[in-house]
Amino acid sequence: LMMSMGPKEDSTLVIDPLYNHEGLMKAYQVRAKAIEKMLKEAKPDFVLFSFIGNISQLLIAQVAKKLGIKTLSIEFCKIGNRIDLTADHFTITGLKEEMEKIKNKGETDSEYQAGEKIIENFKKTGSLKLDYIEEYKKILAEKKTIPLTIRAWKSLKYFFLHWRNYLKYKNLFLYHDITRGPFRLFYQKIRRVWREWRGLDDLCSPPNYQEDFVFYPLHYEPELSIQSQSPFYFDQVTLLRYISRSLPLHFKIYVKDHPQTTFNRPRSYFKEILKLPNVKLIDHRISSFELIKKTKMVFTITGTAGFEAALMDKPVVTFGNVFYNMLSGVTRVHEIEKLPDIVNNLLKNFKP
């Protein structure tokens, strides 16, 4: 299913394959056999991933597992500059057991006290001191200061470099965001510039903190965290329809775009979401921290907003396999038919 998501739209998960089922199976088998051959010849002690972000890396991990080779991933812990080496590529190995140890030691434990300080600081500032996020914001800000002529020259230079690589390695340009063909790349860049110029102000509504609402931050797409960690709920428009039907009559759903996909999605995507009568689209410049503080509940597939909401003592509903599912304020949905009951129970009985 993941391989059938062809490179026709870079901002939404559209099942629109380049090949039929037999063609996809052949591609999968050829790649799996090549990976198996490579691992048998190399005989590594373990395979280390910076992260598993696409089907090829996931396939390497699965083949290695079948061959009895250990696999490790570098996982950001969502707090400061801390990282973790994990053997479970969708959560953090040993996290639950470690949490139980700290909890049993009680408030006198130094790690318990450090955790309390981090949570209290986050509640005051809205920051988990994630340097990689701050660095990304800094890069974006610096890009805006570059003169238009220089940006145009760099874009043109990159286009010709991309075209050269495409002609040289054409067979590799099948799937994946960064390996799209040059003309498709050019078309998507022009389209994004148009979307940014056109804007979404006419579709957005200001938040009304006096009304009851739940918060759903859109995920970055395409991304393996929702394709693999939530294979049955990756269609966010459909998921919002489920949430919409599960809320009390007077509740609103505040939907906000992901900061890294701003203007990547077409206006038609947001118009489809806004067909739901209890949905409001919130401007991407509005602080998610403020929305989480005022919301009654946060819905997310596997997003960081769910972790932040849990730290702020808000009820969280997730639809995928993510490390913070083990927290007491987080409910993982396994059966969508039970969502209305889950929502009703959390609204009535949730206690921080």
Side-chain angles (χ1 to χ4, degrees):
L1 181 62
M2 290 165 61
M3 290 180 69
S4 68
M5 295 171 184
K8 297 183 180 180
E9 175 60 70
D10 67 336
S11 58
T12 54
L13 297 178
V14 178
I15 300 177
D16 192 4
L18 294 177
Y19 309 108
N20 59 21
H21 186 239
E22 287 72 22
L24 289 170
M25 287 300 296
K26 286 179 182 178
Y28 180 85
Q29 290 169 358
V30 168
R31 186 168 291 184
K33 287 180 180 179
I35 291 170
E36 182 180 18
K37 181 175 181 293
M38 179 268 292
L39 290 175
K40 284 182 176 180
E41 290 177 353
K43 298 179 181 179
D45 295 316
F46 61 89
V47 180
L48 178 65
F49 299 91
S50 57
F51 65 96
I52 295 182
N54 57 46
I55 183 66
S56 298
Q57 294 168 339
L58 181 62
L59 192 54
I60 292 173
Q62 292 300 320
V63 173
K65 185 178 179 181
K66 289 292 183 181
L67 295 176
I69 301 172
K70 292 181 179 179
T71 60
L72 297 171
S73 294
I74 299 173
E75 176 70 28
F76 286 101
C77 296
K78 309 297 183 185
I79 297 175
N81 295 320
R82 301 182 185 190
I83 61 172
D84 182 76
L85 283 178
T86 176
D88 187 332
H89 305 294
F90 302 127
T91 182
I92 299 176
T93 304
L95 179 61
K96 187 174 182 179
E97 293 78 8
E98 191 64 28
M99 285 182 62
E100 287 298 324
K101 288 180 183 178
I102 295 172
K103 187 177 179 180
N104 291 333
K105 289 178 181 178
E107 298 182 9
T108 57
D109 181 69
S110 59
E111 291 188 20
Y112 187 102
Q113 294 172 355
E116 287 287 329
K117 288 181 180 178
I118 290 171
I119 293 173
E120 289 303 316
N121 180 69
F122 175 70
K123 288 179 178 179
K124 292 177 182 177
T125 65
S127 172
L128 289 171
K129 297 182 179 180
L130 304 178
D131 282 359
Y132 65 95
I133 296 292
E134 297 305 318
E135 187 64 25
Y136 176 75
K137 291 179 180 178
K138 182 180 177 182
I139 291 172
L140 288 181
E142 288 176 352
K143 281 184 177 180
K144 292 181 179 179
T145 63
I146 299 174
L148 181 61
T149 53
I150 296 178
R151 280 187 289 169
W153 166 248
K154 286 186 175 182
S155 296
L156 189 63
K157 184 179 178 181
Y158 178 74
F159 174 75
F160 283 111
L161 177 64
H162 199 73
W163 176 252
R164 186 193 68 182
N165 291 337
Y166 176 75
L167 292 176
K168 190 174 181 180
Y169 307 107
K170 192 172 182 179
N171 290 336
L172 297 178
F173 283 68
L174 298 175
Y175 296 98
H176 200 276
D177 181 52
I178 62 172
T179 55
R180 53 190 184 266
F183 287 115
R184 177 172 170 264
L185 173 67
F186 182 74
Y187 167 69
Q188 288 176 348
K189 293 294 183 183
I190 293 297
R191 187 171 55 178
R192 191 186 186 283
V193 171
W194 160 254
R195 288 171 181 168
E196 187 171 359
W197 179 84
R198 178 66 178 83
L200 295 169
D201 290 349
D202 58 317
L203 301 180
C204 291
S205 301
N208 176 8
Y209 295 131
Q210 304 305 312
E211 66 182 352
D212 290 331
F213 71 92
V214 300
F215 179 42
Y216 181 89
L218 289 170
H219 284 256
Y220 182 94
E221 295 183 83
E223 188 176 48
L224 195 69
S225 65
I226 58 176
Q227 289 172 259
S228 181
Q229 292 173 246
S230 180
F232 299 103
Y233 302 117
F234 64 80
D235 186 332
Q236 298 192 83
V237 176
T238 299
L239 186 57
L240 280 166
R241 293 192 184 109
Y242 294 148
I243 297 171
S244 174
R245 297 169 191 166
S246 304
L247 295 175
L249 190 61
H250 67 288
F251 265 69
K252 300 288 188 183
I253 307 175
Y254 283 12
V255 176
K256 181 187 168 188
D257 201 2
H258 192 283
Q260 293 184 28
T261 59
T262 305
F263 305 118
N264 278 7
R265 307 180 209 262
R267 285 172 61 87
S268 58
Y269 184 88
F270 299 104
K271 287 181 178 179
E272 188 65 27
I273 290 174
L274 290 173
K275 288 180 181 179
L276 298 170
N278 56 347
V279 166
K280 281 186 177 181
L281 182 62
I282 305 300
D283 192 295
H284 69 277
R285 291 164 290 194
I286 300 294
S287 167
S288 292
F289 179 69
E290 291 300 320
L291 292 170
I292 293 173
K293 280 204 304 186
K294 303 295 184 180
T295 190
K296 298 294 184 182
M297 191 180 304
V298 171
F299 291 84
T300 183
I301 301 177
T302 59
T304 303
F307 179 53
E308 294 174 347
L311 295 182
M312 294 173 67
D313 300 323
K314 296 289 183 177
V316 179
V317 177
T318 66
F319 297 88
N321 186 10
V322 64
F323 74 93
Y324 58 80
N325 277 340
M326 65 186 70
L327 299 179
S328 58
V330 180
T331 303
R332 162 77 187 277
V333 174
H334 293 279
E335 299 176 57
I336 201 65
E337 293 86 355
K338 294 182 179 179
L339 184 56
D341 293 332
I342 291 172
V343 171
N344 185 55
N345 180 59
L346 288 174
L347 289 174
K348 289 183 176 180
N349 303 316
F350 177 78
K351 294 181 180 180

